Amino acid sequence: MQINAYPEIVMENVIKKFDDINAVDNVSLRIARGEMFGLLGPNGAGKTTIVNILCGLIKPTSGFVTVGGYSLPKNLEDLKRIIGVCLQETTVYPYLNCEENIELFGGLHAMKKDLFEIRKRLLLTKLGLYNVSRKKVEKYSGGMKRRLSLILALIHDPQIIFLDEPTIGMDPQSRRSVWDFIKELKNENKTIFLTTHYMEEAETLCDRVGIVDFGKLIAVDTPKNLILKNGVNNLEEVFIKLAGRRIRDGV
């Protein structure tokens, strides 16, 4: 799917301070409509804080942010209608079964019943939970809960999707099936913002990746260009070369 040049996500000189620390340090970024963008970085580098800002969950200390044409944090109600968010923390209700969880989230989006039923069946089938959809979520494995979280994020068919470590805790086979599903979303011209620690995931799926460390965006380009520019063999080696100081120096 060809990427539209229209910027779907814009950050300009964004800073987020926690006490005296810049968790996000003067980050500027533009992501086109239909692009799949991957954000990489060590633990504590600022990835999740950036996602939370773009989803309207926290306010930046300073800077300019728009998502889907809506300026944040002023237009949060409008934003909720067009984004889907799958955060690192699994947001499911264990005492409900899978379908009850989905029905709850469908109700939050005030979905029409016929559309909801179509989306529910489609997503349960695509993510391999259809045959266990009446099972209580407390009986699910960690990977199954992550797949359910993905369904909850996508039930209302959002145009812009934020996936914060979506395949963490999944076995390799489940991870690959989720990759295939994410590729299908991209083919529908969805704009997808992904954070991941799996370098192969980013290299396989993303049109461009950004690397963040100590709150700063230190590199942005296609995986292929980053590999060529840094004279290495793969994206993991790029990551180690550019963002490895925290590990090398024990910071």
Side-chain angles (χ1 to χ4, degrees):
M1 182 67 68
Q2 187 173 5
I3 298 170
N4 191 310
Y6 176 85
E8 191 85 273
I9 298 171
V10 177
M11 301 178 73
E12 290 185 2
N13 306 117
V14 173
I15 294 173
K16 179 61 183 179
K17 286 182 177 289
F18 292 109
D19 297 323
D20 294 328
I21 298 172
N22 284 357
V24 178
D25 194 354
N26 200 35
V27 169
S28 295
L29 178 66
R30 287 177 176 257
I31 299 172
R33 178 172 294 173
E35 181 176 8
M36 181 155 181
F37 184 87
L39 189 64
L40 313 176
N43 289 331
K47 302 186 303 297
T48 296
T49 303
I50 289 172
V51 171
N52 287 340
I53 289 171
L54 294 175
C55 296
L57 296 175
I58 60 175
K59 296 179 181 180
T61 305
S62 62
F64 174 78
V65 180
T66 65
V67 177
Y70 294 113
S71 179
L72 299 183
K74 293 187 292 187
N75 302 106
L76 293 181
E77 288 304 314
D78 294 315
L79 181 71
K80 289 176 185 177
R81 289 195 290 270
I82 65 168
I83 69 169
V85 184
C86 183
L87 298 175
Q88 279 190 48
E89 299 80 15
T90 305
T91 54
V92 296
Y93 293 94
Y95 50 85
L96 299 178
N97 69 32
C98 176
E99 287 201 36
E100 288 168 340
N101 269 275
I102 300 170
E103 287 163 5
L104 177 62
F105 275 72
L108 292 175
H109 290 290
M111 295 180 68
K112 293 182 178 180
K113 187 175 181 180
D114 55 347
L115 175 61
F116 169 77
E117 290 297 330
I118 292 169
R119 291 287 298 168
K120 180 179 74 170
R121 179 179 288 269
L122 172 69
L123 293 171
L124 283 170
T125 302
K126 291 282 187 183
L127 288 163
L129 295 178
Y130 186 80
N131 291 332
V132 291
S133 62
R134 299 297 177 92
K135 189 175 181 179
K136 285 207 172 176
V137 172
E138 64 186 1
K139 303 291 186 181
Y140 275 17
S141 67
M144 292 167 72
K145 289 176 182 177
R146 291 301 292 163
R147 282 182 274 157
L148 175 55
S149 291
L150 191 52
I151 291 175
L152 301 182
L154 300 174
I155 189 62
H156 58 302
D157 198 18
Q159 170 58 33
I160 304 169
I161 303 164
F162 293 95
L163 305 176
D164 194 7
E165 301 284 353
T167 60
I168 194 167
M170 290 186 184
D171 60 76
Q173 185 176 0
S174 296
R175 187 179 303 134
R176 289 284 179 170
S177 68
V178 170
W179 289 8
D180 290 340
F181 177 68
I182 292 173
K183 289 176 184 176
E184 289 184 29
L185 293 175
K186 187 178 183 308
N187 288 336
E188 296 172 12
N189 208 34
K190 305 289 190 185
T191 304
I192 304 172
F193 191 106
L194 169 77
T195 76
T196 181
H197 278 109
Y198 298 113
M199 298 298 118
E200 184 187 2
E201 186 166 87
E203 190 171 337
T204 299
L205 297 175
C206 295
D207 299 300
R208 288 189 304 152
V209 297
I211 298 176
V212 64
D213 201 13
F214 293 99
K216 292 183 179 292
L217 191 62
I218 58 176
V220 179
D221 210 330
T222 66
K224 181 178 179 180
N225 284 347
L226 285 171
I227 291 166
L228 289 173
K229 286 177 182 177
N230 287 279
V232 294
N233 297 311
N234 53 53
L235 195 57
E236 182 173 0
E237 292 180 8
V238 174
F239 178 79
I240 292 171
K241 181 176 180 179
L242 297 183
R245 184 164 66 90
R246 185 190 300 270
I247 298 169
R248 289 192 302 268
D249 299 348
V251 177

